[in-house]
Amino acid sequence: MSDSRAPEDDDYSATVLGSHWISGPPEQPAQTKRFDTPQDASGAVPDRVEGSLLRFGPGVTARPPGTPFPVAVAPAPPRRRGAALRRYALAAVVLAAVLAYLGWQRLGPALAVTAVSVSTDPKGPACDSAADVVALVRTNGRPGTLRYRWVRSDGTRSDPLTERVPSGRKEATLHLLWTFQGKGTYPAEAELELISPVHRTAAVGFTYGCRA
């Protein structure tokens, strides 16, 4: 006779007892196994199934056969941050120095004239020759351009001329070749008129003499 109180569950399994169970010793009841849950060789039911990997007990992972044991890898030693920072600081200092030099070259003080002088051979030129008149312009060593002209005592004035002064050079030499011909004596004077970066003048006198 069936028991109407039996639960309607897929896990429920009824066991039929034979008549020899009435007088015989008690035995362990038959166990119903479900074959839809994986088990290991010992019959233990795993806690959960993860693919083909069975886990038994809290936090214990069953290692499949042939799987090598994990090898701990030592972490890489930390980089020396101090050396890297020193390298970066040195590069920054060099870059700042280069930029400062370039800025000083472009935005530094302008070309300035500190002195102007003119000279020539005091004996004067020989017959039918030229006098070499030399002007020496002293500067502050900054790059720039000198604009000037020569003015002669015979009433001749040259067109404005230019002389480029490079950085670091503190002197500029300007030449005037004044040619004389014929016999006689002629007192002469040559003047340098500096137009820019500042207006200055300097002159020198000499005598041309030819008696031959």
Side-chain angles (χ1 to χ4, degrees):
M1 183 178 61
S2 60
D3 190 354
S4 60
R5 294 175 299 174
E8 295 180 359
D9 191 351
D10 292 340
D11 294 337
Y12 176 78
S13 178
T15 303
V16 179
L17 303 179
S19 59
H20 63 279
W21 281 86
I22 301 175
S23 59
E27 295 184 1
Q28 294 293 330
Q31 295 182 353
T32 301
K33 296 183 178 179
R34 293 186 58 185
F35 293 94
D36 57 347
T37 303
Q39 299 178 351
D40 65 352
S42 63
V45 180
D47 294 339
R48 62 183 179 274
V49 179
E50 298 179 358
S52 61
L53 188 63
L54 309 183
R55 295 184 177 275
F56 296 86
V60 179
T61 301
R63 183 172 57 87
T67 303
F69 286 97
V71 178
V73 179
R79 288 188 173 185
R80 298 179 59 186
R81 296 183 60 185
L85 291 177
R86 284 194 295 271
R87 287 196 299 270
Y88 293 148
L90 179 60
V93 169
V94 172
L95 179 60
V98 172
L99 293 178
Y101 176 76
L102 294 177
W104 182 80
Q105 288 289 328
R106 172 171 287 188
L107 304 176
L111 173 67
V113 175
T114 58
V116 179
S117 62
V118 180
S119 63
T120 189
D121 188 351
K123 295 183 298 182
C127 295
D128 300 330
S129 62
D132 184 14
V133 182
V134 181
L136 182 64
V137 181
R138 300 182 184 276
T139 71
N140 60 348
R142 298 291 298 149
T145 301
L146 300 175
R147 295 184 70 249
Y148 65 96
R149 66 164 55 96
W150 287 103
V151 180
R152 302 190 322 194
S153 57
D154 61 356
T156 304
R157 296 168 63 90
S158 70
D159 293 332
L161 305 171
T162 60
E163 176 73 12
R164 176 68 181 174
V165 181
S167 176
R169 181 177 167 184
K170 295 185 175 183
E171 291 183 355
T173 304
L174 312 175
H175 291 265
L176 167 66
L177 295 178
W178 189 349
T179 302
F180 295 87
Q181 292 180 342
K183 295 181 181 180
T185 302
Y186 179 76
E189 183 181 83
E191 179 185 79
L192 174 74
E193 181 183 0
L194 188 63
I195 302 173
S196 66
V198 65
H199 187 272
R200 287 193 181 185
T201 59
V204 63
F206 59 94
T207 301
Y208 168 73
C210 181
R211 296 184 178 87

